[in-house]
Every structure is written in structure tokens, then in C-alpha cells.
């Protein structure tokens, strides 16, 4: 990306982050409700420290805010002892104001760099920093949602839901579920090389796929409620062993944020407690719940490469633009569009529609453990800790969510979370093997 | 207390609380660093809820702040399910401003009551509420000290130590330690009946004491450092079994807040990290450390009744006024005064001086488990949960500390904490048996 | 005790221990079901190591069984690092046979000592060792009861209950509960000096008691079942705060070992699962349950000195001999005898009967925290760790149980357990204050 | 397999299990040192319950030993509530003798079935039961090794190491490490269909491999000691994030069972503590340690399909017969043979030798997460719980170990353990990408 365009992007991404924090008071920005989540103010500081550390100073020498090195290092062991995660919620100092000043100081210095004759490596680092910041934009929203829910008063992040526009489908009905078939064979996966990509998307390489089918939309809250009504959370035979133990230990009986009030289903959203529209995609389920649901439904979760193969085959561009991403400011998945089908009367479960909700709405759990691609090598130095060291005990998710910046998504993008995680906007797309009946 | 005096006291106590919170930003007031401590804003809300609940409304109906009943009930099981303690740190809403408004609304209503023809029972409840609030004043300071210390930047509660006055003895030398003897016999203990007292100080009753001696001042940091240098934290024979396990599990090697920097002893104070004056009383030690120290010193901890007997025998009034209480705003114990002694040359360890530092400075651990007095009966209803249900696995402390309001202290006052607690201003006074040598 | 009598006692106590282990296979003797309990074979080895260590060799040099020092040191930190408690259940080697051989080797050497001209200090140590072994006799039975209950097949320690003799009262009815009054005043407590006593019973000293009354028998299973039926385990206002937390966390709903089968109450005994005779004393309750029951019953638990005062006033000797101790081999508390009362018709709750079940049957929880007597000083050296270091977070129990050797009991005997302990034969005697009605 | 051959195999496998238990006393057979391991006697009972449950009775009706259903069900949720794992160590009853009798009763009934006209499904279930029992043979040895090590006396399973034969190489020197290259392409993996295989090896399917190289022998203790000496356990950049946390939390500094005594390396073996021969393969390392080692060595772990491709390409038969499996009774990996190499002088790191130690010795960690093969479907009913529900948070290991029965191994065999597991005989074979240098 050329320096001018990059400077514009830098300004846009940085202010988008500020805008996400704007509805939150300094007190709200202190909240940390669990080890895996961080306070908003920490996200604001950490993303600035990232630029300062990797771009502006020699690592370990951040100087624009006293102590930044000791409190905003997330997990870079090679840059000194990171603060224990739960300590992030105890940082009343520096204040929100001081962190804002820190952000502005970093902004100025980065933009000064971009105004000069910055080498390609610098430009690449800035682009990395912006993609890193976009990841934290998503986390700001998922973390604050979890934190506000921990308050028994269930306060809202935003009070006014955006005025409905014509693309809002919350009152409409989800189309019937059907499966679209894909032929197997050798397929290219991974980042194609042009444009930004994280190291975990590379090297681009070939994989061998077997014939498969993917559901043409996401599983809805109504369908998931059927699973619950059918004893889904009480039947061990549907669950992975680790998942069943967790269900017992945690007393899980429904997705995170669901509450039954007088027989009606409500859920917590960034707009506070709301009645749950049953046609919208189910979200805030763990891999364990997604996997158990798929077994109950006689299907399975897709592999990450099946998803990528399917996504490569259809134009995502319209979806990215019109899709339900962060910019739509719905902050919640929405009902799948009723797309005209050319489906033959003969088999109602075979779909000839393009796959709906493939990007945006919710991250789709895959059955693929997060692992390095053949030939993967992490970057040297501290940046090598960005992705590689987490390739263990996590699963890949694909497609982005309603709180992912649209620009951030791409077909080769690999998100990853432990199988027990529920506080992200995670959901379910089913897959099936295509095996000749015999 | 008559209504006019009580109204004046009410105004004074309530504003004293506000004044303690004043140096803290709304972000600081969010901090909760452990289960046993609470955020400042919670203290501000809870003390107001206490008046509202027990005085202004029928229990369970607090109405001056929406949701107050669900977030400010500390532990009154009979008033509904209290919020889990660690949830107190997740209350960004209501905001500090809303809690301040809540305080003012409660103030106005209580003062209106007092301006009317309030019955004695109402006056008594108000007096209870003020003593309750004074307890939380102390907790505001000890809790925020602990919370600020959890920040690796070690920020200060206050930046400017008060200008030294003539009563400040931080640079002076502690007098030598000597023991003052007391004869045994039947002695009255407990609240005498006139003036306010908590239910755990009653009924006043007789106890039988055996001859004993008490150290005429508190143990100093220097003396405690000698214990450490002599292997105090590495010698199991000095410790109670539970204490030794804790030393191993927690890696304790010194009192809480002590840090060695380049061979010099520093400690964390409400004014930030400071060099430790070795002649001042050691503080922030658990009962286990106090007990181990006393065993190392060939002495023991006093019983609560030995302390009360000794305190009854000497005029505390001057000490209370001039003592090192909250109002002195030192927020730290200070060196014992060099009092002229009439001590004979013959035995340097026998003291004829009045006991120094008996009130204020630090709470003195006693060897007495916190137990009900003979005939003790908790109040009916929710207020019966105030003290009685904690009479288990705790030890009594006597004398108040440098963050206790002077008015709050009295000879019969019983404070209590679990033996592992270190975040209060707790210290050590030695005792000895007087047994005819044979 | 003279050497000849002591030798006879030594033989008797040591074989009594062997007899308790006899019904257990080497596999049974391996069982350790929790940290607080020990396997039978460990008790057999440890009690021998005790004699060897304190009597036969210099501490740290046990030589009659290789490795004895590393596996049979219970908690004497001054004798080297004790094996972590849970490791006791992993000692398949040495085998039961080797431990038996170890016992015999120690026996021979101790008896040889006694046959010679042993000094008084040696005799005293042997007597201590025998009293120590009697404590472990009780633990062998309570620990194996807990361990066998952990097996879902609920196997029995013994299959045949002893033939009923005339003193067996399991089918009889418990007499009505009444309270016997005692006047207060200065009273002597503690070991009188002649005969054996543990150091925690000394020094004998005076205490001041206030008028009180004690229930004339133990609380029965029927009475405790009434407490349960009245919501005892669901009403927080009846419980100490720590106890209520435990009830919630552990899901306690009844005493340990109680099970409801088709509406009938069964309990686990050393003879396997048996129907529970409702007139027999309730047992296997924690201090928390005993305290909550007493509050529900409008009474309280006695102090240890009230118990001692009452016990001193009545002849215990007949009870000790005929009492329900280990030697009766009932291994379970039995129904109180129907003693003729001279009680006036006027007040049915006032008793003029001697207190029943004061010794044997079940240990009686007192409200007294386990603390040192005035002037208490632990023995020098490792034996000083016997009692003193546990004087924290425990409560005193008095009177012995159905698995205590009769010889082991005395009026000044202080047993102690943490308030949550339930696997000992612990029960409830109520007390009341006597306050002039007004 | 025909009934006659199967009956012979049944007898052989069942007695082989008995023979493994023979050196252990009933007390030894009680030992359970952690949740993940089981007592020997439980293995003996469970493997019999498996035949009884799936072959001889309707599930849930085992009748040859009272209570077998409640204590020997490992994890089959569809057959009733399994005993909590740690409860396995508390089963003194049934006794070892009773379990032996149970085994004989089951043997007789199975052999009676085989003597009759058993249908193919019955024969298949018996074959499954025998393969299941072989898995437990391995566990009997690894579990007892862990349990005996928990005893501070470090007792041995066997006292006499087998007499050295000519195939014993413990004193020889390991050949230099070199890598053998393999071309990529589409490759068949999975069970070929004839002969026994577990369901997790199917369906056989094609995968696409990229060019790779495998080390021609296992990593030795000496090489791993070099890694330690180079700070391996102190350098976070070498570790997966979860692994680094574990290293910190557990204080890992070497493989399990290694001990330094006076500067010499010893390790615990089934023959007790022994000096460690540095040329033998390192074992008892977790996936985390294997992965960190490989990163330190500039290599990586193989995928399970790379291993299978390499193993398919070379004749395993000689190795299986002469290999270091259970039948060799070495119970420990041994030094790689010095095989003549045709290696050109030019590149010492390129191997043209067949891969050594590919089967037997130690299980080789792969970087492949344990996941279902495309089209995998678990069996219906309880047997469907055998493998499928564990396909999460585990890694695949290949090749068998020195305690695996030789018959049990095959090229498509997939073993799996969590990445933190160290008590199995697990070791390291390195892999490398082959990428055109540029």
C-alpha cells in the first residue's frame, strides 16, 4: 500500500477504535470480567504500544507513556515479563485521559513517519499494526459485552438500536435449510500473496478435499432451541468427552446470554436485554455446543478448507460490502435473506442457492484444529510470537462476524479460539459427507 | 445521643467518607484487587444502602437508586441473594456520579427524619449506621492501598505527605522494649452500657485473668527485620501449622508491602513507595506472623481480655485525641514516643511506663479466637447478621489503627479478621506469663 | 506407672491395634480416601516409628525398617520433610507383612527396655507413645469407615454385629430432653497432675464460669431429622457464615453417611449400610451443623469448661467402665438409658438426672476454639509439635466416642478438629445460659 | 479370524495380561497415582467387564461379579454413570482374588462361545476385546511405573533386568542423526480393510503430502540433555504458549523420571532407579517438550500422514518381530542400531538408510491433532464412545513403544494423548520441510 493511502487508512482505523470506546465511561473502560477478556482502556493502550514498540522505538523502550512496557505487553515473552492477564483490570492509572494522550502521541509519530520516505518494511509493519488494531476492535465489543453482562443490572453498551433500514431482516423468516454440494479434488488454500495476510495464512498450498456439502445458511436460534428441547444438553452421546465434562461442571443449559423470562426467550445484546428473534442465527456457542448440535442434526462441522473452497467459489465481494459487519453497527447477527432458489422439487434438502451468511454475522466453527500450514515459519523476533505459539488446543473459525471490520475479512482468514470459548460471536454452519449410498 | 447532636455527627461522618474518596478518580474507585476487598464506589453505595434499608424503607425495597438492593447488599442473606463479592469490581454502572447523587438523596432523607420527632429506635439505628460507616472509612483506605499496589506502577493515593508537625516522630528512635506487669484476678470486660457499642461487645461480664505482662510499646520494623534475618520465615518450629503451610504456599518472606531495593528496605504506603523507617511499628502482618514472631522472641500474644484489662487501667483519652488515628492523616503508624521512665536500674526489661501506642497506629493481634460473650444474643432480623455469624475462624484485634476514626475506638471494641489477613494495618504487641520462677 | 505394669499395658495396647487391623485385607489397609485420613497400614507403621524415633534411636535414624523416616513421619518438621499426606495412600511398599515385622521388632526392643532399668523419662515416653497409639486406634476406625464408604459397593468393616447383650438399647426409646442447671463461679480446669495427660491439658488453672444448663442427653437422629424437615439446611440465618458457604459449596443436606432409600433413613456404619435407629444420637455432623442445630433449637453449644465442670461434678467411673467405648465393640453410639428422674411435675425441661452419655458414644462439639491454656508451653524439640502448633482454626471436643479406648478418656481430655470435619464420631449436646427472666 | 485361531489368541492375550500383573502384590495392584492412570486390579477387572458387557450379557447386566457394572465401566455414559476416575484407587473390594476369579469365569464363557457356532459379529467383538486388552497391557506398565515412582522409596516393578542378549545395545553408541527425504503427492492413508483395525483408522482415504524429510532415528537422551543445557526449559520463544505456562506452573526442568545425583543422570525405570544411558532415545516427554526440542533443533515434528507414508514405504515386518516391543521385556527404549550407510560423503545430514526405531521403543509425537478421518462415523451404541468422543485437545502418536505388544502395532495405528501427557513411553522423531532453497 502506498504511504498516502496507508496514512488515510491509519487515520480511519485509529478513529474507528476511538469511536467504539466513545459510548463507554472511564469506569466502563476499566471492566475486565474474566482472564480471557481485557478492559477497553487496555485495548486502547495496547494497540498504541504495539505501534510504538515495533515501529517507533527499539523493543523494550516505549517512552511516550511511563510504564507502558510493563502494562501493555500482552504476551511477548521476548520483550520482558508481561503483566498477568487478570492484572489488566486493575489499571486505574494511567487514566483514560492519559491513554488518549498516548494514542495521539503515537498517531502523530506514525503519521510523521508516513509523511517521510518510509521504507517498505516500515509500511508493512504499519499495515500489520492496523490489522492488529482491527482485531482489537472486535475484542473491545465482545469483551465489553461480557463485562456488562456480569453486572446484575445488565446495562447496555448502546441504548438506541440503529433505525431499521431496508436491509434489516430481524422480523423476517429464515429460509428452509438446504445443503449445497461441492466436488472434491486438489484445491489451493491459503493467502494468495497480494494484499495483507497474517503469517498463519501462509504458505499458500494445495490440499486434497473429498466431496462434501455445506448448509446454505447458518443454524438459527429456533433450530438450536429444538436441540435443547430434545434434551441436547442432557445427552452425553452427542458430546465430545471434554465438552460433556464442561456441560456438567458449568451447568450449561443454553448458549451464553440466553435467559428464559416467563417462558419467553430473551438474550443479552450490546443494546441490553432483548427478546430473541428465533429466526436469527444462534450465536455465543462453544465448539462443543456446535459439534453436539451437528451430531444431533445428523451432520458435522466443516473443515476449514471445505469452508475456504466454498468461499473461494462464490463472489464474496457483494457480501463484504453489504454484509453484516462491524460497519453495519447492528452488533448482532441477522436473519438470512430469502434468496430465490432454482431448487428442483425433487429434493428439498439440496440447495442450488449461493451460500448465505458466509461472511459477517457470526464466526463459523470448523472441525479443524488450529495448526501450522506446511512450510509455515513464524517471523523472527518478538513478532514471531504473534500467531505460531498458539497452534495448540484451539480450533479454526472462518468468515468474520457482525463485529468484525469488513475490510479485515478475506477468504483465507483464520481466526482461532479454544473449544470452550463462548463470548465471541460464534455460530454454526453444518457440513455433510457425500458418500455414494451402498 | 440527642437528635441535634446526631444530625451534626451524621453530617460530619458522611462528609468524612466523601473526603476519603475525593483524591480518587472514578477509575480508581472501580478497583477491587481481591475477594476480601471492595471498590471505593461500592463502599460509598453500600453505606448509603445500609441507611436506606434499615431506616428509610422496608428491607428489600431500596428505591433511591435502581438496583441498589441487588448490588449493595454485602452479606445479609435474609435480605435476598447478595452479589458475589468479586462482582463488586464489575459495577461500572451505576456511575460514581450516580452513587454520589444516591448518597445525597439518602442524606436528605435521614436529616429530615432527624429534624422530626424521631423515636429512640430510629436514633439508635442512625448511630449504628454511622459506626458502620466509620468501619467502611477504614476499609476504603486499606482496600485502595491493596488495589493500588496491584498496579506494577505502584501509584500513590496521595502525593503529598502532610507537613511534619511537632508530634511527628518518624525520624526519632524507638525506646527500648520493656514489659509492664499486671496482676490477675476477676475483671470486668465488655461494653459498660453507656454510649454506643456493637452487639459483639456485650454482655459486659466478668473474666478471670492470671498475672501477665504486656510490652510497653509495639514491635518495630527493625525488630521484625531481625526475626527475618534470623531465619524467621524458614523455621517451621516457630509457626502454627496452618501458618507454615501458608508461608510455603504463598512464598511469604516479609510483611506485605515490603520490598528490598539495592539492600535498602522500602515499603508501599498510601503515599506510594517510601523508604521504611525502621523504628516505626511493623504493620501488615498476619496473625501467623505475629504469633511466630512472639514465639521467636520468647513471648506470646496477649489475650483480648489482658489487653482490655491493661487499657482500662490507663487513661486512653489523651491518646485518643492526640493519637495516631485517621484524623492525623498520617495513614501510617509512627515511632513510639520517648517517654521518661522511672524504671529502676536493676531490671531493664521491667517497665513502669504507661503502655504506649495502645490505641491508633496498628490493630494489635490477640491470641483470642473471635467468640460470643456469655449470654450474647444477636439482634433479631437482618441486623442479627452484622457480627454473630462471623464468630468462627477469626481472631480478635484491639486498639484501632492509623486509619481508624478516633471517635470509633473504645476499650471494649473488638475487631476481627481471619488469621491470614495482612492488608489491614495490623501489628504486634507482646505479652508474657508471670509465673513464679522455680 | 511402674515398668511391669507399663510392659503389660504396652502389650495390651499394641495388640489392641493389631486386632483392629485384623479384619482388613492388605488391600483394605491401603485405602486413603482423603487428605485428612490415613491408610490402616500407615497407622500401623507410624505408631511404631513414633516409639523408634523418640525412644529407641536418635531422631532421624529409624533403622528397623528401611525408609521408615521418609514415610512414617506425620508432621514433625524438625525431623525432616514429612511425606505429603496424600502420598500415604501410595505406599504399597513396604508391604503389610513388612510393617507387621517392623511392629514386632519395635515391640521387642521396647519391652527389652522395660525389662531393664529404664529411667523415668523413658517410662514417660513409653506412656506417651501408648496414648498416641490409642489416638490412632480411633483414627483407624474412622478413616476406614470413610474409605469403605467411598467404594460404591459400600463394603463392611465387620459383617457380624456383636450379639445383643442386656446393655444394648438400640430398640429402646430415648428419654425426653431436659436441661440440668449448674451454678457459675471460679472453677478448676485442666489436668490435675497425677496420671498421664497431654500437654494441651495443662497447666491446670482456674476459670470463671457463669450459670449455665446442659442437656441431660445427646441430640438424637430423630431430633436432627426434625431440624432437616424444618428447612435446617436451607435457612442461612441459622448458620455461621463459613458454614453456610460450605453447605452451598458441598451440597450438604444431612449428616455424613445418611442416605434416604424409599423414604426410609439408612446410614453407613462399620457393619455396612443399616437402617438408622432414630432414637440413637446423631453423629458425623460438623461443628457448623451442631451450631446451626443448637441455634434452631433455641440453645447453644457448651464451652469446653462448662462441659468439664459438669463432668467433674459427677462420677464418670461407672460410665467409663460400662460406657459405649471402643471395647464395647458396638462402633456406633447407642440410645440413652431411660434413667428414673426425680423431676418435679412443674417444669419438664428441668432435669435432676445425672447427665447421660457424657463419655463414649460421640465426641461433643464445644463452642470453644482450641487455644493454649494460660502458661502453656510446648515441650522442647520435636515433641513440641505434638499439639501446640494446631491451636488455630480448630474447635475442642470433649467426652470420647464409641471408638475411643475407655482407658484413653478423662475429664480434662481435649480433642480438636476443624469445624468442617464430619468423619469422626461427633455429636451434639446442647447448653443454655441461665439469665434471670425479666 | 477363524474361531480356533481366535481361541488360541484369546488364551494368549489373557494370560499375557495376567503375567504382567504377576510381579505385583495385591497392595501394588491398588495403586492409583493420578486421575489419568488406573490401578492394575482395575485394568484386570475392566478388561473382563468389557467382554462380559459387549459379548456375554445385555449391556448393564454384568453378573459374574457383583457390582462390576458400577466399578468397571470406564467412560461409557450410555451404560450408566461411570465411577469417577479417582475412585478406582479406592476399590479394595472386590479383592484381587475375586477379580482373578472373575477373569476366569469370563474366560470360560468366552471360550465356550468360541467352541460353538459363533456368528461373525461375535468373532469381531472378541477380536475388538483382545485389542482393547492389549491397550490395557501397555497401560498396566505405564501406570504402575508412575505409581511406584510416587513412593519416595522408588521401588522396582521387576528386580532383575533380563540377561543381555546380542540384540541389546544399551552400551553402544547412537549413529549420527541424518534425514531421509520423501517426495510429496497424493498418498493413501488409513486402515486397508483386511485384518483388525480400530474405527479411528478408517475410512482409508487419500491425502496430499508435500515433500518432506524424516530423521532416520529417534532423538537421544544426550541430544535432549544438550537442549536442556542450552536453556531449553528457560527460553519461552521455543515453546507453544500452553506449554510454556505448564513449564512455569509445574516447574518442569527435564523429562519425567529424570534425576540428577551428584552430577550423574539417573532415571526411574520399571527396574527401579538406574543410570541413564545417554545414547538411548529420550522418553517420557510431553508434546510440548517434543515440539520445543524440534524448534530448538531447527526442525519440526512430523504429521501423522508423513509418518504413515514413510512407514508404508519400508518393510516393517522384520522390525516388528525383532523390534523392541513388550515381548522383548526390556520395558525401556534402546539405542538405535548402527546400520551401514551408503551415504555420500557430500552431505552428512542426508540419509539413505532405512528409518530406524520406527516401531517399538517409544511412541512418536506427531504435530497432528487427533481428528476424525473424512467420512468417519462412530459405531452405533455404547461402542461408539470408544474413540470418537476423544477427538479434541489430543495429538496423534505413531509407532508403538517398548511396552506395546508387537501384534498390536500396524502402520495405520493411531494412538492419542493430551499434549501435556508424559507418563507414556513417548519420544521424538524430527521432520523437515523440503523447500527449494532460494
Amino acid at each position: 500500500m502506498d504511504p498516502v493511502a496507508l496514512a488515510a487508512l491509519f487515520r480511519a482505523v485509529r478513529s474507528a477504535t476511538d469511536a467504539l470506546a466513545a459510548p463507554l465511561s472511564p469506569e466502563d473502560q476499566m471492566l475486565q470480567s474474566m482472564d480471557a477478556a481485557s478492559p477497553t482502556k487496555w485495548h486502547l493502550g495496547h494497540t498504541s504500544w504495539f505501534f510504538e514498540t515495533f515501529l517507533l522505538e527499539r523493543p523494550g523502550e516505549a517512552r511516550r507513556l511511563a510504564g507502558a512496557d510493563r502494562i501493555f505487553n500482552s504476551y511477548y515473552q521476548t520483550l520482558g515479563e508481561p503483566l498477568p492477564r487478570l492484572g489488566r483490570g486493575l489499571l486505574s492509572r494511567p487514566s483514560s485521559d492519559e491513554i488518549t494522550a498516548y494514542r495521539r502521541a503515537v498517531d502523530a509519530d506514525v503519521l510523521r513517519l508516513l509523511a517521510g520516505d518510509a521504507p517498505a518494511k516500515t509500511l508493512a509493519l504499519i499495515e500489520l499494526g492496523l490489522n492488529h488494531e482491527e482485531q482489537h476492535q472486535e475484542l473491545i465489543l465482545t469483551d465489553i459485552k461480557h463485562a456488562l453482562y456480569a453486572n446484575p443490572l445488565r446495562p447496555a453498551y448502546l441504548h438506541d438500536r440503529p433505525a431499521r433500514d431496508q436491509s434489516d431482516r430481524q422480523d423476517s423468516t429464515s429460509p428452509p435449510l438446504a445443503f449445497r454440494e461441492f466436488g472434491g479434488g486438489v484445491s489451493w488454500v491459503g493467502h494468495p500473496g497480494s494484499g495483507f495476510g497474517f503469517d498463519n495464512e501462509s504458505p499458500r498450498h494445495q490440499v486434497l478435499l473429498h466431496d462434501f456439502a455445506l448448509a446454505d445458511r447458518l443454524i438459527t436460534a429456533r433450530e438450536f432451541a429444538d436441540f435443547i428441547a430434545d434434551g441436547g444438553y442432557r445427552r452425553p452421546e452427542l458430546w465430545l468427552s471434554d465438552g460433556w465434562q464442561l456441560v456438567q461442571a458449568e451447568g450449561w443449559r443454553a448458549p451464553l446470554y440466553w435467559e428464559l423470562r416467563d417462558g419467553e426467550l430473551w438474550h443479552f445484546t450490546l443494546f441490553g436485554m432483548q427478546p430473541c428473534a428465533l429466526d436469527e442465527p444462534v450465536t455465543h456457542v462453544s465448539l462443543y455446543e456446535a459439534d453436539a448440535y451437528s451430531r444431533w442434526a445428523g451432520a458435522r462441522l466443516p473443515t476449514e478448507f471445505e469452508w475456504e473452497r466454498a468461499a473461494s467459489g462464490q463472489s464474496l465481494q457483494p457480501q463484504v460490502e453489504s454484509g453484516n459487519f462491524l460497519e453495519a453497527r447492528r452488533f448482532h447477527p441477522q436473519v438470512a435473506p430469502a434468496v430465490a432458489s432454482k431448487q428442483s422439487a425433487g429434493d428439498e434438502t439440496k440447495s442450488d442457492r449461493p451460500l448465505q451468511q458466509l461472511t459477517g454475522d457470526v464466526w463459523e466453527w470448523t472441525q479443524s484444529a488450529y495448526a501450522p500450514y506446511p512450510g509455515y515459519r513464524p517471523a523472527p523476533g518478538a513478532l514471531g510470537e504473534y500467531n505460531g505459539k498458539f497452534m495448540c488446543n484451539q480450533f479454526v473459525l472462518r468468515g468474520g462476524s457482525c463485529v468484525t471490520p469488513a475490510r479485515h475479512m478475506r477468504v483465507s482468514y483464520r481466526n482461532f479460539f479454544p473449544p470452550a470459548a463462548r463470548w465471541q460471536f460464534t455460530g454454526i454452519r453444518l457440513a455433510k459427507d457425500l458418500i455414494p449410498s451402498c
Side-chain angles (χ1 to χ4, degrees), chain A:
Chain A
M1 203 177 282
D2 72 280
V4 175
L6 194 53
L9 181 62
F10 181 86
R11 281 192 195 89
V13 170
R14 295 285 282 179
S15 8
T17 308
D18 294 337
L20 291 178
L24 297 168
S25 69
E27 290 159 287
D28 293 331
Q29 296 193 29
M30 288 284 294
L31 293 172
Q32 182 182 30
S33 50
M34 63 170 168
D35 194 78
S38 299
T40 307
K41 71 188 289 188
W42 188 88
H43 287 298
L44 297 175
H46 164 72
T47 46
S48 305
W49 167 89
F50 190 93
F51 282 110
E52 191 182 25
T53 294
F54 292 110
L55 197 70
L56 301 173
E57 304 290 336
R58 270 179 303 177
E61 292 203 350
R63 291 179 301 198
R64 280 155 193 81
L65 178 67
D69 280 329
R70 287 153 72 200
I71 58 180
F72 291 136
N73 177 4
S74 51
Y75 54 65
Y76 296 88
Q77 301 279 352
T78 40
L79 298 179
E81 186 76 16
L83 185 69
R85 286 193 70 108
L86 271 177
R88 295 177 185 173
L90 297 174
L91 300 173
S92 60
R93 326 271 180 93
S95 68
S96 271
D97 285 349
E98 290 167 317
I99 290 175
T100 299
Y102 178 43
R103 286 183 70 80
R104 296 298 81 83
V106 167
D107 284 354
D109 288 348
V110 171
L111 288 168
R112 196 170 305 125
L113 262 188
L114 280 168
D117 197 16
K121 191 187 155 192
T122 296
L123 301 183
L125 276 173
I126 293 174
E127 199 169 0
L128 174 64
L130 291 176
N131 279 274
H132 170 257
E133 182 137 350
E134 286 169 339
Q135 293 181 311
H136 282 274
Q137 289 172 1
E138 176 149 10
L139 291 174
I140 284 173
L141 291 173
T142 54
D143 290 359
I144 198 71
K145 182 172 181 179
H146 192 268
L148 292 172
Y149 187 67
N151 186 327
L153 308 181
R154 307 275 191 261
Y157 165 68
L158 284 179
H159 284 285
D160 302 312
R161 303 187 64 166
R164 300 272 169 106
D165 64 18
Q166 65 179 74
S167 70
D168 197 319
R169 296 183 297 269
Q170 285 312 93
D171 300 331
S172 56
T173 304
S174 185
L177 185 74
F179 285 80
R180 186 178 170 110
E181 303 189 348
F182 295 86
V186 171
S187 185
W188 280 97
V189 296
H191 193 267
S194 79
F196 178 82
F198 283 112
D199 63 355
N200 63 6
E201 304 166 49
S202 289
R204 187 164 176 83
H205 64 286
Q206 290 183 306
V207 294
L208 182 62
L209 296 178
H210 302 268
D211 299 349
F212 66 99
L214 286 191
D216 60 0
R217 62 160 172 77
L218 298 169
I219 294 302
T220 63
R222 184 189 313 282
E223 286 159 339
F224 200 83
D226 289 344
F227 163 75
I228 298 177
D230 195 34
Y233 283 92
R234 295 189 310 268
R235 293 168 52 184
E237 72 272 19
L238 298 172
W239 295 78
L240 287 166
S241 181
D242 288 358
W244 181 246
Q245 281 181 38
L246 207 57
V247 164
Q248 305 295 97
E250 301 289 323
W252 285 356
R253 292 292 172 264
L256 183 61
Y257 301 136
W258 279 26
E259 289 184 9
L260 214 61
R261 295 182 173 180
D262 301 325
E264 204 188 352
L265 185 62
W266 288 64
H267 58 176
F268 186 67
T269 73
L270 284 162
F271 301 95
M273 291 300 303
Q274 302 282 343
C276 180
L278 288 171
D279 281 279
E280 71 188 28
V282 67
T283 185
H284 298 300
V285 289
S286 62
L287 176 279
Y288 295 124
E289 287 157 301
D291 176 81
Y293 178 86
S294 73
R295 195 163 293 123
W296 174 78
R300 61 168 174 83
L301 298 178
T303 68
E304 62 166 322
F305 300 132
E306 289 169 344
W307 189 97
E308 188 163 342
R309 160 82 174 73
S312 310
Q314 77 182 60
S315 169
L316 293 179
Q317 215 50 42
Q319 284 193 316
V320 168
E321 280 180 8
S322 67
N324 186 13
F325 285 105
L326 176 66
E327 289 78 1
R329 296 182 63 77
R330 280 191 199 88
F331 302 153
H332 201 77
Q334 71 170 343
V335 180
V339 175
S341 163
K342 286 171 287 182
Q343 186 179 315
S344 71
D347 183 349
E348 290 192 352
T349 66
K350 257 192 206 175
S351 171
D352 56 0
R353 297 176 299 203
L355 302 183
Q356 300 303 316
Q357 304 170 311
L358 205 49
T359 60
D361 289 308
V362 296
W363 287 102
E364 305 178 18
W365 283 110
T366 75
Q367 64 166 252
S368 301
Y370 181 45
Y373 282 176
Y376 168 74
R377 199 148 307 180
L383 277 175
E385 299 187 51
Y386 198 102
N387 276 311
K389 72 179 180 181
F390 301 110
M391 292 177 171
C392 178
N393 304 331
Q394 313 226 30
F395 282 81
V396 174
L397 303 104
R398 294 295 195 119
S401 81
C402 54
V403 292
T404 309
R407 204 197 71 84
H408 194 67
M409 195 34 46
R410 60 192 156 265
V411 166
S412 60
Y413 195 96
R414 306 173 81 197
N415 199 356
F416 54 92
F417 278 97
R422 311 210 297 174
W423 91 111
Q424 298 299 306
F425 285 91
T426 46
I428 309 171
R429 182 181 302 275
L430 297 182
K432 284 192 172 170
D433 298 315
L434 291 182
I435 297 172
S437 51
C438 52

